[in-house]
Amino acid sequence: MLVVHLLLDCRDAMGANAVNTAAEAAAPLLERLTGGRAALRILSNLSDRRLAWAECRIPAQSFATEEFEGEEVIRGIAEANAFAWADPYRAATHNKGIMNGIDPVVIATGNDWRAIEAGAHAYAARDGQYRALTDWRVAGDSGEPQLFGRIELPLAVGIVGGATKVHPTAQVALKILGVTSARELAEVMAAVGLAQNLSALRALTAEGIQRGHMALHARQVALAAGASPDQVDRVAAQLIGEGQIRSARAAELVAQLS
């Protein structure tokens, strides 16, 4: 079996149609040169020549709360990332959280979120083991400790062609973002993914992510029980305080407030 890679600079397009067209055009020539038969002629979503990355440095003090010291929090975040680097079961959820941030931007701008997901997860396993897409470390040996974060992943996105060019919502989203190239758009997505990951790791290593999930769940239970917009927060807070996030109790509280 002979595998031939065509590398195209798609500029500000996602490039799927261009790559597929080029592959189709090259197939007859390759058949003549090799005496073989061309089989698949299609792009790869592992676009590792279109990597995007984002980095940040945040002082430990920024993470300090009444319950936790900032240095304690950033150490926990770095340890959680190391866990996701070493264990593929943890890495799967770790990276899923990153894509929770990236996918909505991909969808809003008319790009193919399934292609982005496939490329990201394939890239996470590029060395033979599925790993975290981020790197979080405690930095700043001299002076105040800082949290250093970096994300890198393939992001083959476009701002011209396909749905991005014709869909009015995608055009509005691009205008809001203020990006003028596919490269800039990919950088925005990478930054969103890094921020999303940071929020999840901070919750996991501090008060625990379940508290935030249950707070959201309490609001949903309150709404389902018929709470009006001005009652939702009060009912949700009461449910959380009692430790009874149940529909029946929410209905009782709504009745009392009505």
Side-chain angles (χ1 to χ4, degrees):
M1 178 184 292
L2 175 67
V3 178
V4 177
H5 290 181
L6 298 180
L7 304 180
L8 276 69
D9 182 355
C10 301
R11 309 304 295 174
D12 288 329
M14 184 272 183
N17 289 334
V19 172
N20 290 341
T21 299
E24 290 286 355
L29 173 60
L30 291 172
E31 287 178 331
R32 290 197 299 272
L33 290 173
T34 63
R37 174 177 58 87
L40 302 182
R41 302 175 291 277
I42 191 169
L43 86 163
S44 170
N45 290 125
L46 179 54
S47 51
D48 54 8
R49 303 299 180 95
R50 296 182 71 175
L51 297 177
W53 57 89
E55 293 182 353
C56 68
R57 285 181 178 268
I58 308 171
Q61 180 183 343
S62 301
F63 295 91
T65 66
E66 293 182 359
E67 299 177 76
F68 301 96
E69 295 288 339
E71 291 185 38
E72 178 186 3
V73 175
I74 66 172
R75 279 198 305 271
I77 291 171
E79 290 169 357
N81 195 91
F83 183 15
W85 182 259
D87 179 57
Y89 292 92
R90 171 60 201 143
T93 307
H94 181 98
N95 290 341
K96 182 263 186 184
I98 292 171
M99 303 314 292
N100 280 347
I102 293 176
D103 284 347
V105 185
V106 176
I107 294 168
T109 55
N111 281 282
D112 186 347
W113 68 269
R114 297 153 302 177
I116 296 300
E117 284 269 356
H121 295 300
Y123 189 70
R126 62 192 180 279
D127 69 353
Q129 177 176 318
Y130 188 84
R131 301 185 186 276
L133 289 166
T134 53
D135 175 24
W136 292 102
R137 293 182 271 115
V138 177
D141 296 331
S142 59
E144 181 185 6
Q146 298 177 329
L147 179 69
F148 169 82
R150 176 182 170 87
I151 186 173
E152 179 183 275
L153 72 164
L155 287 169
V157 295
I159 62 170
V160 298
T164 304
K165 187 66 175 178
V166 301
H167 200 293
T169 302
Q171 288 297 298
V172 170
L174 290 172
K175 185 175 181 180
I176 292 172
L177 289 173
V179 296
T180 57
S181 69
R183 180 70 206 171
E184 286 183 308
L185 178 58
E187 290 169 351
V188 168
M189 292 176 181
V192 171
L194 187 64
Q196 180 78 12
N197 183 238
L198 175 59
S199 67
L201 292 183
R202 188 225 166 269
L204 278 169
T205 57
E207 66 270 11
I209 205 164
Q210 186 67 359
R211 181 189 295 184
H213 280 179
M214 292 311 293
L216 291 173
H217 181 54
R219 288 180 58 85
Q220 294 168 350
V221 171
L223 286 168
S228 61
D230 61 330
Q231 295 174 336
V232 170
D233 288 338
R234 292 179 61 186
V235 173
Q238 185 72 22
L239 293 173
I240 294 170
E242 295 177 356
Q244 297 188 66
I245 306 179
R246 297 183 294 104
S247 300
R249 179 54 179 154
E252 291 174 1
L253 293 173
V254 171
Q256 292 173 12
L257 293 172
S258 299

